[in-house]
């Protein structure tokens, strides 16, 4: 029997998710949701960040739809903070980060050096607002419409079918750099918006992003370039001399390959559900990116765990294990397993993805998920925790929450819409008798 069909396994996933939501509550502050330190306390040395506050709106919207008490207030707190404190009242859009304290007039203070506008953060404003709309929270629909207008006005580049990376505060100067990370999360948000609004344009945009990603990844043996110039030409040597740069690391980030693999398959399911023909490139791209990332990064140091980045020959560059990569690998394995079952794949293929899921969720349980919902965010290549006092944590429970939900939901619709439609814990079809590993009577 598939683990996804096990009542006890789903109860375990639910318990983990409940712990993560409880842990996430600790991040609430007056102006949004803050970073937490390794002990689960508010980190006063880091600003209140737009992407994290918007992520938590998304996460707590899922909590609302799951029926978890207390989440409704947290969603509305996040929406109010995005509107009241993060909005730029002069130039429009949202500040990327603000100070913990307000000025004498009760207004937010943009964090020094972070008063710019970034499409990565904007993607989460759109995602959070769309999920809150699905959860029917006050102010959510208006926030989503504002974010869509901002996407049209500043971020979507119809020439290339991708989003731009960043602007200065008044949108007068656009950065020449283009990045895969911001486009990945924008595609995620567009796919959700398409389902919340029933407007196909947003899926069309997501498909343009996904197709370009598939094309460029295929050119490099399914390793995904991260960095590009303004004409979307890959910058393969970007940050080669500074490979540990946290936000724009040199090489290919295997976590992004796993997440794109999942998004491609979810977009394919959306197309099928709407009666449209899915392009032939989608399954080969999803499987190619998944297998390349798995082969390049899993157990490369003689111990379980994924290296964070690899070079263009597949050699690990940043060997630390990061929790979010593990959670995205779990999500990709889930989606590929569901597709394999739906497409009546050979037993060996089904068993391969099921084995990946079991091995990777075991590893997450043993190394990243701490009782009570806290996450160990980084491990050494020897799988020793690296969440030390001098290392700033900048993640949230977002990746982990989605990894705990994915095995309990169908490929489509997206998380919040699926929960709103009551699609939690619908079992996978059982294996045909001739493919069962045991018995078959």
């Amino acid at each position: 029997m598939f683990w996804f069909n096990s009542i006890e396994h789903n109860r375990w996933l639910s318990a983990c998710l409940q712990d993560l939501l409880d842990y996430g509550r600790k991040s609430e502050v007056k102006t949004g949701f803050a970073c937490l330190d390794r002990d689960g306390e508010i980190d006063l040395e880091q600003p209140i960040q737009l992407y994290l506050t918007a992520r938590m709106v998304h996460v707590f919207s899922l909590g609302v739809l799951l029926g978890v008490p207390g989440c409704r207030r947290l969603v509305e707190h996040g929406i109010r903070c995005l509107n009241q404190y993060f909005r730029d009242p002069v130039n429009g859009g949202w500040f990327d980060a603000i100070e913990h304290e307000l000025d004498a007039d009760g207004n937010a203070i943009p964090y020094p050096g972070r008063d710019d506008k970034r499409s990565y953060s904007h993607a989460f404003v759109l995602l959070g607002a769309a999920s809150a709309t699905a959860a029917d929270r006050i102010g959510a629909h208006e926030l989503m419409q504002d974010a869509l207008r901002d996407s049209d006005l500043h971020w979507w580049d119809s020439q290339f079918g991708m989003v731009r990376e960043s602007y200065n505060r008044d949108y007068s100067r656009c950065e020449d750099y283009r990045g895969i990370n911001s486009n990945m999360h924008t595609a995620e948000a567009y796919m959700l918006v398409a389902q919340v609004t029933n407007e196909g344009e947003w899926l069309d945009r997501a498909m343009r992003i996904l197709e370009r990603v598939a094309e460029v990844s295929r050119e490099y043996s399914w390793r995904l370039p991260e960095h590009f110039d303004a004409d979307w030409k890959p910058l393969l040597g970007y940050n080669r001399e500074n490979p540990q740069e946290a936000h724009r690391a040199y090489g290919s980030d295997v976590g992004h390959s796993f997440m794109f693999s999942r998004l491609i398959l979810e977009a394919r399911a959306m197309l099928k559900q709407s009666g449209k023909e899915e392009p032939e490139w989608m399954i080969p791209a999803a499987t190619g990116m998944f297998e390349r990332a798995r082969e390049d990064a899993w157990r490369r140091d003689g111990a379980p765990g994924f290296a964070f980045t690899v070079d263009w020959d597949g050699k690990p560059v940043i060997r630390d294990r990061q929790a979010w990569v593990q959670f995205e690998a779990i999500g990709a394995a889930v989606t590929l397993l569901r597709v394999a079952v739906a497409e009546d794949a050979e037993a060996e293929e089904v068993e391969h993805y099921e084995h990946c899921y079991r091995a990777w969720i075991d590893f997450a349980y043993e190394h990243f998920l701490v009782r009570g919902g806290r996450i160990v965010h980084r491990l050494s290549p020897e799988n020793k925790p690296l969440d030390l006092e001098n290392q700033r944590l900048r993640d949230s429970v977002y990746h982990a929450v989605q990894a705990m939900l994915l095995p309990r939901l169908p490929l489509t619709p997206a998380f919040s819409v699926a929960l709103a439609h009551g699609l939690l814990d619908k079992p996978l079809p059982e294996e045909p008798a001739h493919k069962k590993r045991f018995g078959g009577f």
Side-chain angles (χ1 to χ4, degrees):
M1 182 177 72
F2 296 119
W3 274 17
F4 301 170
N5 293 350
S6 163
I7 293 173
E8 288 303 316
H9 183 62
N10 286 352
R11 284 175 177 166
W12 180 85
L13 291 169
S14 178
C16 287
L17 191 150
Q18 296 278 349
D19 283 348
L20 290 163
L21 289 174
D22 283 342
Y23 184 74
R25 295 172 196 265
K26 298 180 179 181
S27 65
E28 181 188 4
V29 294
K30 180 178 181 179
T31 52
F33 294 98
C35 297
L36 300 176
D37 64 21
R38 66 192 181 100
D39 297 317
E41 302 297 329
I42 299 297
D43 188 343
L44 296 175
E45 296 185 27
Q46 295 197 76
I48 310 302
Q49 305 197 53
L50 175 62
Y51 86 91
L52 200 152
T53 294
R55 273 185 177 182
M56 297 310 292
V57 170
H58 166 65
V59 165
F60 288 124
S61 294
L62 299 178
V64 171
L65 291 160
L66 286 163
V68 178
C71 289
R72 293 190 304 166
R73 183 190 65 79
L74 290 167
V75 173
E76 288 166 16
H77 167 73
I79 292 172
R80 182 179 60 82
C81 291
L82 291 173
N83 284 326
Q84 184 173 349
Y85 299 122
F86 280 95
R87 281 189 189 266
D88 181 342
V90 176
N91 304 293
W94 292 265
F95 295 124
D96 200 60
I98 58 177
E99 297 273 16
H100 281 258
E101 300 299 326
L102 303 175
D103 65 17
D105 297 322
N107 299 315
I109 305 170
Y111 194 74
R114 294 283 298 279
D115 65 346
D116 56 348
K117 312 293 169 59
R118 304 186 186 188
S119 60
Y120 176 86
S121 302
H122 175 269
F124 285 107
V125 174
L126 188 50
L127 183 75
S131 281
T133 299
D136 197 24
R137 301 325 309 145
I138 296 171
H141 181 263
E142 293 79 6
L143 179 62
M144 180 180 69
Q145 293 300 322
D146 287 348
L148 289 173
R149 282 189 288 270
D150 195 60
S151 185
D152 273 340
L153 188 60
H154 297 118
W155 301 114
W156 180 247
D157 187 339
S158 59
Q159 178 184 354
F160 295 103
M162 304 289 277
V163 294
R164 304 175 181 92
E165 186 68 15
S166 72
Y167 286 91
N168 62 343
R169 182 169 179 170
D170 65 2
Y171 294 104
S172 63
R173 186 174 65 255
C174 181
E175 184 182 11
D176 288 337
Y177 171 89
R178 301 289 186 267
I180 279 295
N181 195 7
S182 55
N183 278 273
M184 179 179 72
H185 288 294
T186 299
E188 176 188 30
Y190 281 166
M191 287 163 61
L192 174 58
V193 167
Q195 295 170 328
V196 170
T197 64
N198 289 317
E199 295 174 0
E201 173 190 358
W202 306 108
L203 177 57
D204 293 341
R205 291 190 185 188
M207 284 294 297
R208 290 191 68 184
I209 293 172
L210 297 175
E211 185 169 11
R212 178 179 287 274
V213 164
E215 288 176 355
V216 73
S217 180
R218 183 171 56 245
E219 291 175 12
Y220 295 95
S221 302
W222 296 116
R223 296 184 184 99
L224 178 59
E226 301 285 326
H227 315 295
F228 298 79
D229 66 14
D231 294 320
W232 281 98
K233 296 176 182 176
L235 302 174
L236 300 184
Y238 193 92
N239 268 336
R240 189 193 303 272
E241 304 306 317
N242 184 27
Q244 299 283 339
E245 204 282 338
H247 298 281
R248 297 181 181 181
Y250 164 71
S252 182
D253 181 330
V254 299
H256 293 162
S257 293
F258 283 129
M259 187 166 177
F260 268 117
S261 176
R262 171 171 68 85
L263 292 176
I264 287 169
L265 293 176
E266 290 173 346
R268 176 178 178 268
M270 287 178 65
L271 290 172
K272 293 186 69 173
Q273 189 176 66
S274 63
K276 297 180 180 179
E277 184 176 352
E278 70 274 11
E280 294 183 358
W281 59 264
M282 300 189 84
I283 287 183
T287 55
M289 295 174 76
F290 177 91
E291 294 299 338
R292 175 57 67 196
R294 181 186 63 82
E295 293 169 5
D296 280 351
W298 178 247
R299 287 184 173 270
R300 286 298 300 271
D301 298 293
F306 289 101
F308 178 39
T309 59
V310 299
D311 67 15
W312 304 109
D313 295 317
K315 179 181 177 181
V317 178
I318 300 179
R319 296 175 178 268
D320 296 349
R321 285 83 163 97
Q322 300 207 14
W324 76 266
V325 175
Q326 190 73 30
F327 294 129
E328 288 304 327
I330 289 168
V334 168
T335 54
L336 281 159
L337 175 56
R338 287 193 177 277
V339 169
V341 171
E343 301 288 327
D344 196 24
E346 293 297 322
E348 292 80 6
E349 184 177 348
V350 173
E351 290 170 9
H352 169 62
Y353 296 129
E354 189 178 9
H355 171 75
C356 288
Y357 173 73
R358 293 189 183 201
W360 296 348
I361 205 162
D362 278 350
F363 186 83
Y365 168 73
E366 292 170 3
H367 294 283
F368 289 121
L369 293 169
V370 179
R371 187 171 182 178
R374 186 173 73 82
I375 299 169
V376 175
H377 289 283
R378 295 178 63 220
L379 303 171
S380 71
E382 297 76 33
N383 292 325
K384 303 298 183 184
L386 291 176
D387 289 348
L388 305 177
E389 289 185 5
N390 63 343
Q391 292 174 331
R392 306 262 61 86
L393 305 183
R394 58 186 182 89
D395 207 347
S396 66
V397 298
Y398 152 81
H399 291 283
V401 164
Q402 295 195 153
M404 296 303 106
L405 267 178
L406 268 166
R408 304 174 63 196
L409 293 172
L411 282 172
T412 192
F415 294 99
S416 52
V417 177
L419 292 175
H421 290 174
L423 300 179
L424 190 68
D425 291 338
K426 300 297 183 184
L428 277 177
E430 284 290 346
E431 295 170 283
H434 72 281
K435 292 185 178 180
K436 285 185 181 290
R437 286 165 285 178
F438 308 109
F441 299 103

